[in-house]
Amino acid sequence: MKTGFSFIVFSLLTLLLVGSCKNAPRKEPSKDLFTLFVEDPDARPFYSDKQGVFGKNGMVASAHEEASKAGLEILQAGGNAVDAAIATHYALAVVFPFAGNLGGGGFAVIREHSGKYHSIDFREKAPLAAHRDMYLDKDGNVIEGLSLKGHLASGVPGSVDGTVEMHSRLGKIAWEKILGPAIRLAEEGVILTEREARGLNSYKKTFLEVNGPQLTYFIKPDGTEWKKGDLLVQKDLAECLKRIRDKGREGFYSGKTADLLVAEMKKGGGIITHEDLKQYKSAWRKPLVSDYRGHKVVSMAPSSSGGVALIQMLKLVEQYPLQQWGWNSEKTAQVMIEAERRVYADRAKWMGDTDFIDIPLDKLISAAYLKERWKDFNPEVASKSSDIRAGDIPGYESMETTHFSVVDKEGNAVSLTTTINGAYGSKVIVEGGGFLMNNEMDDFSIKAGVPNMFGLIGNKANEIAPGKRMLSCMTPTIIEKNGKLFMVVGTPGGSTIMTSIFQTILNVIDHKMTMQQSVNALKFHHQWLPDRTVFEKGAFSDKTLAELRKKGYVMDPQNGTLGRMDCILVYPDGRLEGASDPRADNTSVGY
Ligand code: DON
């Protein structure tokens, strides 16, 4: 039995590794907003009153202040948004081992200031020796934990290849310069925040269990618990970063780092080989493009399901007057929940790696198909997930993450989400390399109908095959208004990624919030199965909750939080508002 949906809350709680917003005066969001959104004058629909950070020349919003500063350093040294994104990525691998990575993968959507878009898929791949039933015992039952913890849980990492590709196609300044801040942070050390100290302490036992008692990485040298303010120095990681600086792709996929990675796999019964590393290649994908209330929406195509799901949800609710109905009012929430239910049902059936299966992408986001999806909606009563199936498309057979956003002074933009899946991935730390490996194999449907750690189920489209990419929810997205850059959005959160982004976009476009208010706003989530809506306490008024429950909606308040957004909004006068989630250490810096 897998841990299932309850893990969402757990994993989101563990993500609570509280951000401070530098450079901006703190002030209360306007009273109007509160009265506009909720009837109860004491209610606060926001997680906090954190204020956005403003700049005109560049902005980096990420999970850690030092990583955002690394990006800003590169922008100020003449780099463009792509160079800065790469610097932020490598800095996160040092200062945010919880999700930042060398041993993981991700996706980026990039907009050149000319309006030209690119998207790159550097998702991990199943090793060549992987097979469909590798996580099942001889009776066909799932071997608990095997796809989640330890050496067999890892896919072949894509982050280094992806960033090298991004730089060679779109970068401006020298590669060696870009890795400078990350190397410095690894060599000189990073000061732990309270959240990070807590995270490392709470996983110490698992790190030792997976890597053995000789482990020194992430263990405080004097053997005591980490505290806020302690310095974390990572010398071996600095050497890995230098090899990547000096040799690019080959500095990771061959030579010493590759040897260390393969030796680590052999030691722990993993199956990633030199051949896997040699063969890994990220893929430039055609970005998915749609529109919402006159805004152009550009998002990620498979192997992430994120873009398709986000566009489906936006198009499904576009016919409804959400602004008039109000933020998280009963009617607004109802159509959003029903849209989410239908979209996640589609995801389970249709989505997988397009290098291996055929997905009717255009159909799935077409107006005619989406109109059909509303046919069984009755506004008087909640639909039942057991009655909702994926839509039919003739001709087709059934069959811990981190996000950051960057905008430079020319208006180039990068939206990048990357992950090693769970907190600290598989917990395997490559000996001699000092970096964590992913547990992304769990994102495959390891057995048809068995949920992954986020409670998501899948089928044939997402079964394991050698060299195949596991399906993702990551949804890096860029939005344009009147042909100009408008919003750069994204978040971690497993299955809740698409619904958090969905709400963040609606909060700005329909409910006229600032970027930061939209991020601060409390969130909810429905994913078809299980048939219930989880929500951050305060996201709905008591009256709305009572009305929704009367119609049959199972509304389930959570102690955990939803989303760790890092977003940027561009105002008509050119100002950039960096909005980093108050739910963790996330910080925007701009100039
Ligand atoms: O690719 C995916 O959808 C997942 N591996 C993302 C994991 C994630 O967001 C973890 N953070 N809560």
Side-chain angles (χ1 to χ4, degrees):
M1 245 280 296
K2 300 191 72 194
T3 38
F5 190 71
S6 60
F7 200 91
I8 295 175
V9 178
F10 171 71
S11 72
L12 289 170
L13 278 172
T14 57
L15 257 174
L16 283 165
L17 271 176
V18 168
S20 63
C21 239
K22 299 278 149 38
N23 316 330
R26 292 176 73 85
K27 67 176 184 356
E28 281 271 310
S30 84
K31 269 262 175 303
D32 284 346
L33 273 170
F34 295 133
T35 45
L36 185 70
F37 299 139
V38 282
E39 299 92 323
D40 177 354
D42 293 329
R44 288 287 182 272
F46 300 104
Y47 182 84
S48 86
D49 64 354
K50 183 174 176 176
Q51 296 290 299
V53 170
F54 286 87
K56 261 214 124 145
N57 296 305
M59 184 67 65
V60 185
S62 87
H64 196 289
E65 183 173 357
E66 291 297 339
S68 297
K69 283 182 172 165
L72 189 71
E73 181 181 323
I74 294 302
L75 286 181
Q76 292 180 322
N80 63 16
V82 169
D83 300 323
I86 297 168
T88 303
H89 184 280
Y90 284 101
L92 282 167
V94 178
V95 303
F96 192 56
F98 194 73
N101 65 81
L102 301 184
F107 301 89
V109 172
I110 303 163
R111 180 187 189 271
E112 289 187 63
H113 62 93
S114 61
K116 186 167 177 202
Y117 282 90
H118 309 263
S119 65
I120 182 162
D121 174 345
F122 51 97
R123 180 70 158 169
E124 301 92 325
K125 288 182 170 201
L128 295 167
H131 57 92
R132 192 190 67 184
D133 298 335
M134 63 187 278
Y135 299 111
L136 306 185
D137 65 18
K138 62 177 177 16
D139 300 319
N141 298 316
V142 170
I143 304 168
E144 174 139 24
L146 205 57
S147 64
L148 281 171
K149 202 167 71 179
H151 297 71
L152 213 51
S154 297
V156 184
S159 290
V160 175
D161 189 74
T163 47
V164 168
E165 272 291 318
M166 280 169 60
H167 180 260
S168 64
R169 189 174 284 199
L170 297 161
K172 187 169 155 198
I173 66 171
W175 174 254
E176 301 78 52
K177 257 195 170 165
I178 298 174
L179 270 83
I183 294 170
R184 196 177 63 227
L185 286 160
E187 271 186 330
E188 295 175 9
V190 57
I191 294 170
L192 293 182
T193 64
E194 191 180 334
R195 191 181 303 274
E196 279 152 9
R198 207 164 56 226
L200 291 173
N201 292 336
S202 62
Y203 283 93
K204 179 175 172 181
K205 191 164 158 264
T206 319
F207 288 150
L208 288 166
E209 180 199 315
V210 170
N211 297 281
Q214 80 293 342
L215 181 77
T216 52
Y217 303 118
F218 303 122
I219 308 286
K220 198 166 161 181
D222 65 4
T224 61
E225 297 265 281
W226 291 105
K227 290 190 312 295
K228 175 184 172 182
D230 283 346
L231 192 69
L232 175 67
V233 178
Q234 301 173 79
K235 296 277 187 209
D236 285 349
L237 181 58
E239 294 309 310
C240 284
L241 289 165
K242 285 182 195 167
R243 288 191 283 274
I244 297 169
R245 175 195 64 191
D246 297 341
K247 299 200 170 106
R249 184 188 187 284
E250 297 316 310
F252 183 83
Y253 294 92
S254 62
K256 182 161 181 192
T257 306
D259 291 346
L260 292 170
L261 198 160
V262 171
E264 178 65 50
M265 287 293 132
K266 278 196 179 135
K267 187 176 82 186
I271 55 174
I272 297 177
T273 62
H274 277 292
E275 188 57 27
D276 281 306
L277 296 175
K278 198 171 129 198
Q279 283 193 22
Y280 184 87
K281 204 81 209 94
S282 41
W284 291 96
R285 307 267 185 214
K286 190 167 157 240
L288 273 186
V289 182
S290 188
D291 58 279
Y292 178 70
R293 298 201 203 281
H295 300 74
K296 180 169 170 177
V297 180
V298 184
S299 194
M300 197 63 222
S303 59
S304 182
S305 60
V308 174
L310 175 67
I311 289 170
Q312 284 189 312
M313 290 189 284
L314 290 170
K315 297 307 282 181
L316 281 167
V317 302
E318 195 177 26
Q319 60 178 293
Y320 296 106
L322 303 187
Q323 184 184 5
Q324 186 194 324
W325 286 350
W327 179 85
N328 283 15
S329 66
E330 182 238 328
K331 283 183 165 167
T332 300
Q334 182 176 19
V335 297
M336 289 170 71
I337 291 168
E338 294 299 348
E340 291 172 7
R341 187 197 307 281
R342 287 159 175 77
V343 165
Y344 278 78
D346 271 357
R347 178 191 190 277
K349 173 173 175 180
W350 293 112
M351 295 286 142
D353 181 358
T354 40
D355 289 348
F356 282 72
I357 58 155
D358 208 3
I359 305 180
L361 282 181
D362 293 341
K363 276 269 165 50
L364 284 167
I365 57 174
S366 70
Y369 175 76
L370 292 169
K371 190 168 165 223
E372 194 65 22
R373 296 297 277 145
W374 275 132
K375 264 197 145 165
D376 49 9
F377 170 56
N378 173 358
E380 300 310 317
V381 50
S383 300
K384 287 198 176 69
S385 287
S386 52
D387 296 337
I388 299 289
R389 292 275 166 259
D392 284 329
I393 296 180
Y396 281 86
E397 276 181 30
S398 315
M399 12 173 217
E400 257 270 334
T401 309
T402 188
H403 173 86
F404 56 91
S405 299
V406 183
V407 175
D408 67 20
K409 64 175 185 300
E410 287 179 313
N412 302 299
V414 177
S415 181
L416 193 154
T417 316
T418 178
T419 190
I420 41 178
N421 198 25
Y424 307 105
S426 65
K427 325 300 186 255
V428 172
I429 308 161
V430 173
E431 195 174 344
F435 60 92
L436 281 148
M437 290 297 291
N438 67 82
N439 60 348
E440 221 73 63
M441 291 296 283
D442 188 66
D443 271 348
F444 277 117
S445 175
I446 61 173
K447 181 179 175 182
V450 170
N452 72 1
M453 72 186 241
F454 300 103
L456 292 169
I457 60 166
N459 273 299
K460 206 166 168 47
N462 189 33
E463 68 185 19
I464 302 171
K468 186 177 176 184
R469 291 182 160 95
M470 55 297 282
L471 186 59
S472 174
C473 291
M474 292 187 273
T475 315
T477 299
I478 297 181
I479 296 180
E480 268 181 30
K481 188 178 182 177
N482 302 327
K484 289 187 171 150
L485 179 65
F486 182 56
M487 215 188 316
V488 186
V489 284
T491 185
S495 58
T496 68
I497 290 176
M498 298 89 103
T499 53
S500 291
I501 295 177
F502 177 44
Q503 291 166 87
T504 304
I505 293 172
L506 298 188
N507 288 345
V508 171
I509 295 180
D510 291 81
H511 304 298
K512 311 298 174 207
M513 293 189 195
T514 65
M515 193 74 254
Q516 187 68 53
Q517 287 169 331
S518 171
V519 166
N520 296 354
L522 297 169
K523 306 221 161 46
F524 65 88
H525 170 76
H526 193 294
Q527 62 179 47
W528 179 47
L529 294 173
D531 190 349
R532 61 174 163 171
T533 303
V534 293
F535 64 95
E536 293 180 302
K537 286 178 185 158
F540 300 103
S541 68
D542 290 347
K543 181 165 162 270
T544 300
L545 276 177
E547 286 165 346
L548 287 166
R549 286 181 172 136
K550 206 166 135 201
K551 287 184 172 174
Y553 290 94
V554 176
M555 304 299 290
D556 200 350
Q558 303 294 309
N559 288 323
T561 55
L562 290 167
R564 293 289 183 281
M565 316 282 317
D566 277 295
C567 312
I568 302 173
L569 185 68
V570 185
Y571 286 81
D573 62 1
R575 276 178 314 145
L576 305 168
E577 182 190 5
S580 289
D581 212 305
R583 293 165 180 82
D585 290 334
N586 305 47
T587 308
S588 294
V589 296
Y591 77 120

